[in-house]
Structure formats: C-alpha cells, structure tokens
Amino acid sequence: VRKTSCPIWNSTFELVCTTSLQEQYICAEVYDKERIGQNVLIGEVLVDLDSIAIGEQVDKWYTLTHRESGKIKPEGKKKELGKIRLNVQLFEDQILPWECYVPLINHLVETVKKQPYDEVNTLSLLEQVMTADRTAIGRSLVKLYINQGMIVKLLDALTKVEVATTETLNTLFRGNSLATKGVDEFMKVIGIPYLLETLKPTIDKIYKEKRYCEIDPNKIDRSVP
C-alpha cells in the first residue's frame, strides 16, 4: 500500500495446522517497501493459537514489536511500533482415512450424473437439512467436484434445484442457498486465479508507469495525454 501510514490490506489467508496448537503461533510481519535494496521490517505480531477457542473469532488490534531472535516476550516488554488489526478464527476438522469417504463421494458423483435430475435427490435434501455454514459446505462441494472433473454438472444440478424450489423470482440466486454459495465459491476457486493471470500484468504495468486511466467520460481530463 503506497504512501500511507494507515494501510488497509483486506487480505484473507487460510492456514493449515496438522499438529497440536500448543506453542503454535501465527506471525504477521509488516515491512516498509524500499525501491532499492531489501524491504525493511517494521515489526511483527505473534498470535498465540492456543489462546483462541475452536470456532471463536478474534478481531482485535495487535501491537507490533521488534523481532526477538525467535524468543517470545510478554507484550509489556516490547517496544511499540504501531498496531495491526487481525481477524483470526480457528476451525477444527476431523479427517478420517480416505477410504471412509469413498462411498459418499461415489454417491455424490452419481447424484449429478442422472439426467434428468430427480426432484428429490441428495443435493436437494442437503439444502433442506443444512444448518451449518453454507459457505463452507459450498466450498467443500466445489473442491470435490472439481477434483472429480464434474464441476459443471454440480453447478447445473444446484441451479435446477434452486429454480425448482424458489417461490419468488425476486429472490432467485439471492438467498443463502447452496446454489448461491456454490457459484460464489466456484468463482473464487477458478475466477480469481484466472483474473490474476490475465489482468494483473496489465494493471501492474499501468500502476508502475502511473498512467492516467480514467474511463468515465465526464471525469476525463482532456489536458492529460
């Protein structure tokens, strides 16, 4: 973030920890970008994961501190260098051996293979009984069907379930439905990398060369070449 002492990143990171949370920390580092030479470390924050309950969401300001050669000292003994706001949430997944999931995966695959789709199928029933976070369920389904090479069939099936069960056109694809979450997650998994690959080089070039790129005809400065 250029030329500001109060940057806003709004970045999301998903980290996987396969060991005990005891003595496990998330380290967030803040750097000052230099045009020549290495970037300068302003400070860092160590978030103790063992202090956060599973499912708890912690949104707070953390004080930046000097790096202490791998040692973690109490907050009060560190010199303040500013603060950074982090939103940290822990989720716990119980992962069984792969063979335990094979029957479920096969059943889900067969569900979207049927043409035409049954009015009552696994996906429509899942829609009715879901009480947990539908975003997480949608993300899991999208990843599963991408891995199986059947993501198009999944989105087609979810769309038809949505159309068949929606009573008012004004709420079609606008509610907290499995179809809506599935499409959203598909756009994140496939769309974001695509946009980064196709548009990022051009945007970076415009940003680096500081080109004037206003597209609103009413705001264009005609004096700028």
Side-chain angles (χ1 to χ4, degrees):
V1 181
R2 293 169 57 88
K3 298 181 179 180
T4 178
S5 59
C6 299
I8 299 176
W9 291 280
N10 283 333
S11 297
T12 301
F13 302 93
E14 185 174 314
L15 308 176
V16 178
C17 180
T18 58
T19 60
S20 171
L21 295 181
Q22 291 184 351
E23 298 186 1
Q24 295 285 349
Y25 297 84
I26 292 177
C27 179
E29 300 174 337
V30 179
Y31 286 83
D32 182 20
K33 185 175 182 179
E34 300 293 329
R35 291 189 175 184
I36 301 176
Q38 293 184 340
N39 297 332
V40 178
L41 177 64
I42 297 176
E44 67 178 11
V45 166
L46 294 172
V47 181
D48 185 1
L49 296 182
D50 196 32
S51 66
I52 303 175
I54 299 297
E56 178 185 7
Q57 183 169 322
V58 177
D59 186 352
K60 61 180 288 188
W61 289 91
Y62 293 87
T63 300
L64 291 173
T65 60
H66 286 296
R67 180 171 291 169
E68 299 290 351
S69 302
K71 296 181 180 180
I72 302 170
K73 294 186 176 181
E75 289 288 337
K77 296 184 179 180
K78 294 183 178 181
K79 180 180 178 181
E80 291 195 9
L81 302 169
K83 294 185 177 182
I84 182 173
R85 184 180 181 183
L86 300 176
N87 188 321
V88 181
Q89 189 168 14
L90 292 181
F91 296 96
E92 183 179 38
D93 291 327
Q94 299 292 336
I95 302 177
L96 302 175
W98 168 254
E99 55 269 18
C100 296
Y101 298 99
V102 172
L104 174 61
I105 293 173
N106 291 339
H107 179 72
L108 289 172
V109 168
E110 291 300 320
T111 297
V112 300
K113 279 185 177 180
K114 294 181 180 180
Q115 292 286 347
Y117 301 115
D118 295 334
E119 184 175 346
V120 178
N121 58 39
T122 302
L123 294 176
S124 62
L125 293 175
L126 185 61
E127 181 82 60
Q128 298 298 320
V129 301
M130 279 193 311
T131 57
D133 182 5
R134 297 190 177 191
T135 299
I137 296 175
R139 184 185 307 119
S140 298
L141 286 175
V142 166
K143 290 182 178 180
L144 187 152
Y145 280 93
I146 287 177
N147 182 263
Q148 296 295 318
M150 302 185 67
I151 184 61
V152 174
K153 288 186 176 293
L154 170 68
L155 297 178
D156 181 54
L158 291 178
T159 299
K160 289 180 177 178
V161 170
E162 174 86 356
V163 172
T165 57
T166 300
E167 298 180 356
T168 306
L169 290 177
N170 293 334
T171 61
L172 190 63
F173 299 115
R174 295 184 179 181
N176 185 31
S177 66
L178 191 55
T180 303
K181 299 304 180 183
V183 172
D184 286 346
E185 291 305 314
F186 174 75
M187 294 300 294
K188 292 177 182 177
V189 173
I190 301 298
I192 291 179
Y194 171 78
L195 290 176
L196 288 174
E197 182 179 349
T198 55
L199 298 181
K200 188 176 185 300
T202 301
I203 294 175
D204 286 345
K205 183 178 180 180
I206 293 173
Y207 183 78
K208 183 177 181 180
E209 297 178 358
K210 299 181 180 179
R211 293 189 178 185
Y212 184 77
C213 54
E214 178 60 64
I215 61 174
D216 186 343
N218 297 321
K219 296 181 180 180
I220 292 178
D221 185 352
R222 304 296 179 180
S223 64
V224 178

